[in-house]
Amino acid sequence: MEIINTLTSQIAVWKNFLTGAAGTLPTAPMLKTGAEVLLGLLVLLLIAYRFRTHQVRRERKIRYRIGRMIAHLCDTYDSLEDVDWKKQKAYRYHFVDGDLKIDQRDIEGIGDLIGPLHPSDGLKYNEDYIKGAIEKAMKTCSPVEFIAREKGSDGTFHWKAFLFQGVKNDKIHSRSCLLLKRDVDDSRSAEMEKRAQLSLDMNEARKAAQAKTEFLNRFSQDTREALRDIMGNLSLTREEMDPGRRKDYLDESQQEARYLMTMIEDVKELSDIENGTLEIRSEEFNVDETLTKLNQLFQKEGEKRDITYDCTVEPLLYPNLIGDEKRLEQVLLNLLTHALLFTDRGQKVLCAVRQKLVKNKKVAMEFTVLCAGMRVPQEMVEKAFLPFELTRQVGSAKVHGGLGLVVTQRLVTLMGGQIRADNAEGRGMRYIIELPFDFASHVK
């Protein structure tokens, strides 16, 4: 109280002095007190200035960070809106020439926020679902996201990602909801393509597994049949006293044994091709010499079977080729052997060879094999390159196609060529092979 009374009396003296009521100068204590008051006021003003400056800087930093965050969201998303569902207002944030703009609009329903959805998506993400998503986001301040096809201004549907994020506005639990949209057409298309490819790969794997199972079943069945024939012939041979009949039984057994050996070798060839361990060589050879050896072999074989074999070779401009002679011989051997097996006595097997074209320093050799005189149904042509599918009855015996043409087709493809089969317009079963080869520089 004493301090207050002293300060009050000094203020009264200063008041009288300033108003001119007193004619004398203030005393030293009064001057000291006035200086202390002024100094206190200056300190208070300085503190207030520093506090306000700090507050302004802090607000600027916050606005800068908010601006950067909004700019990042605007760059990431196609649309950014602050939805006040209670006031039925939506505030759209966007940048124009680097400046942040906020557009306000009234909303009445979900249709003002999200355009028409694709019918199949609209069944899942209906109006009740979207209202529930907004309420959940506002209540929990957690994100709620879904992907659907929204109808664009061009009338087509585009995949969009919709994200609702609840936001607290103040301390009295007033909340709004951010709605962010972005186009996900590319990523969705890539995802759908990946799923489609995965489904396709799974189907192919199932088909491959089924094909392998069928192949093993047919291989096992064919092997059992051949072994039964061999065992039956051997039993008959042991009991047969006629030398001619015994020789026939042994010949049939030997033929079945050859078939088994050929089939086993074909399985190994197929395995090597599928594993990528089969090598295709590139060496110079004379195709005329190769064809001469094959023709001599099959003319003798045709005479044994009472089948006419004839091979015509057009004059070859490039007889010296560069490629795998061994694989070429194997392809032609398989094909001609198959043709003889499926040709009846008294009929013909015709072979024609020519150089079809020369292009890009390569020559295309065309080989045509025709089992003339056979009546070939269309289903037999369609099964030409399927394992164990080509079978026909010859007298009391059944002729098996085995794996010869399957291996032939794989080898032709591996050598960069093509093979096809048709019924030669009703004249018989015909196979056409085209194989590319490099050729030597010297010309015949």
Side-chain angles (χ1 to χ4, degrees):
M1 290 298 294
E2 183 178 354
I3 296 173
I4 294 174
N5 292 333
T6 304
L7 183 61
T8 302
S9 62
Q10 290 180 352
I11 290 173
V13 173
W14 273 99
K15 181 179 179 182
N16 292 331
F17 172 75
L18 293 174
T19 56
T24 60
L25 292 174
T27 60
M30 292 177 61
L31 291 173
K32 180 181 178 182
T33 303
E36 290 174 349
V37 170
L38 288 175
L39 182 61
L41 291 174
L42 287 173
V43 171
L44 290 176
L45 288 174
L46 181 60
I47 293 172
Y49 173 75
R50 290 294 301 274
F51 177 78
R52 180 57 183 167
T53 302
H54 176 74
Q55 188 177 21
V56 169
R57 289 178 180 174
R58 183 170 177 271
E59 290 175 355
R60 285 178 180 174
K61 288 182 179 179
I62 292 174
R63 283 197 297 269
Y64 174 72
R65 290 173 181 172
I66 292 175
R68 285 189 60 185
M69 182 185 68
I70 294 175
H72 174 70
L73 292 175
C74 289
D75 288 339
T76 306
Y77 292 87
D78 301 327
S79 173
L80 171 61
E81 287 188 303
D82 187 0
V83 181
D84 192 333
W85 194 247
K86 291 184 179 180
K87 294 181 180 180
Q88 300 290 290
K89 299 285 185 182
Y91 306 91
R92 180 171 177 267
Y93 296 85
H94 61 104
F95 282 85
V96 177
D97 297 329
D99 296 328
L100 177 63
K101 302 293 183 183
I102 303 176
D103 297 333
Q104 176 183 326
R105 64 188 180 95
D106 297 326
I107 56 173
E108 296 181 0
I110 298 299
D112 295 327
L113 296 175
I114 298 177
L117 299 181
H118 191 275
S120 59
D121 296 330
L123 293 175
K124 183 177 181 180
Y125 305 112
N126 53 29
E127 187 171 342
D128 292 336
Y129 175 89
I130 297 174
K131 283 183 178 179
I134 295 175
E135 292 174 359
K136 179 182 177 181
M138 292 175 64
K139 184 177 181 180
T140 62
C141 288
S142 60
V144 179
E145 186 175 13
F146 65 92
I147 298 176
R149 285 162 288 186
E150 184 183 34
K151 192 172 185 179
S153 57
D154 57 355
T156 61
F157 290 95
H158 301 277
W159 285 102
K160 298 278 187 178
F162 301 90
L163 173 64
F164 295 100
Q165 175 65 61
V167 179
K168 288 183 180 180
N169 291 335
D170 50 40
K171 296 181 181 180
I172 59 174
H173 303 294
S174 174
R175 299 180 181 182
S176 61
C177 180
L178 293 179
L179 170 59
L180 303 101
K181 297 182 189 179
R182 62 187 175 93
D183 192 350
V184 292
D185 259 345
D186 294 339
S187 58
R188 193 67 175 181
S189 298
E191 180 184 352
M192 293 177 71
E193 288 179 6
K194 190 179 293 184
R195 288 183 179 180
Q197 185 62 42
L198 179 61
S199 177
L200 183 63
D201 291 343
M202 291 179 65
N203 290 334
E204 290 295 330
R206 292 192 191 98
K207 289 180 181 178
Q210 183 178 358
K212 284 189 175 181
T213 301
E214 293 177 357
F215 171 80
L216 291 174
N217 289 337
R218 289 179 177 273
F219 180 80
S220 175
Q221 180 181 353
D222 233 33
T223 304
R224 287 196 303 269
E225 288 180 1
L227 289 174
R228 276 197 297 266
D229 290 341
I230 293 173
M231 293 175 66
N233 288 328
L234 292 177
S235 297
L236 292 172
T237 302
R238 184 176 58 183
E239 298 173 0
E240 184 61 53
M241 301 303 296
D242 182 13
R245 298 288 297 275
R246 288 169 64 92
K247 182 177 182 302
D248 291 338
Y249 292 145
L250 289 173
D251 288 343
E252 290 181 10
S253 299
Q254 191 176 30
Q255 186 175 351
E256 289 290 348
R258 286 198 194 100
Y259 172 72
L260 282 176
M261 286 298 297
T262 301
M263 192 163 56
I264 292 171
E265 290 175 359
D266 288 342
V267 170
K268 183 180 182 305
E269 290 280 351
L270 277 177
S271 177
D272 290 342
I273 292 172
E274 290 183 354
N275 294 333
T277 57
L278 190 72
E279 295 184 2
I280 300 297
R281 298 181 179 179
S282 182
E283 299 174 347
E284 184 174 346
F285 67 96
N286 187 282
V287 69
D288 280 328
E289 295 176 1
T290 304
L291 293 174
T292 299
K293 290 187 292 185
L294 289 173
N295 290 335
Q296 291 174 353
L297 174 65
F298 281 97
Q299 281 173 356
K300 293 179 180 179
E301 190 67 27
E303 291 174 1
K304 291 181 183 178
R305 299 171 180 266
D306 194 19
I307 296 172
T308 302
Y309 172 79
D310 185 33
C311 180
T312 59
V313 182
E314 293 185 4
L316 303 177
L317 184 61
Y318 298 95
N320 295 317
L321 305 180
I322 299 174
D324 196 328
E325 182 183 14
K326 179 184 176 183
R327 297 303 174 190
L328 175 60
E329 287 182 357
Q330 183 179 354
V331 166
L332 295 177
L333 275 169
N334 285 348
L335 196 57
L336 291 170
T337 302
H338 182 272
L340 290 178
L341 283 174
F342 280 78
T343 302
D344 294 329
R345 291 182 179 274
Q347 293 182 346
K348 298 179 180 181
V349 172
L350 304 177
C351 179
V353 182
R354 65 176 179 137
Q355 286 183 342
K356 190 175 180 181
L357 58 89
V358 177
K359 188 177 181 181
N360 296 330
K361 295 184 179 181
K362 286 186 178 293
V363 58
M365 296 295 300
E366 182 183 82
F367 304 91
T368 303
V369 176
L370 173 63
C371 307
M374 287 183 61
R375 184 180 176 276
V376 183
Q378 183 61 32
E379 58 267 19
M380 186 174 175
V381 177
E382 294 173 355
K383 296 177 180 179
F385 302 109
L386 296 178
F388 304 107
E389 286 288 348
L390 277 184
T391 58
R392 73 185 187 96
Q393 199 74 26
V394 180
S396 60
K398 184 176 284 188
V399 179
H400 302 265
L403 296 171
L405 287 184
V406 181
V407 174
T408 301
Q409 184 190 39
R410 300 287 181 87
L411 284 174
V412 168
T413 303
L414 197 62
M415 295 168 70
Q418 296 178 346
I419 182 171
R420 63 182 185 274
D422 59 32
N423 60 6
E425 299 178 353
R427 293 191 296 119
M429 194 75 166
R430 179 172 61 182
Y431 301 95
I432 302 173
I433 298 176
E434 294 180 11
L435 285 171
F437 291 95
D438 294 323
F439 55 88
S441 57
H442 48 280
V443 180
K444 186 176 178 179

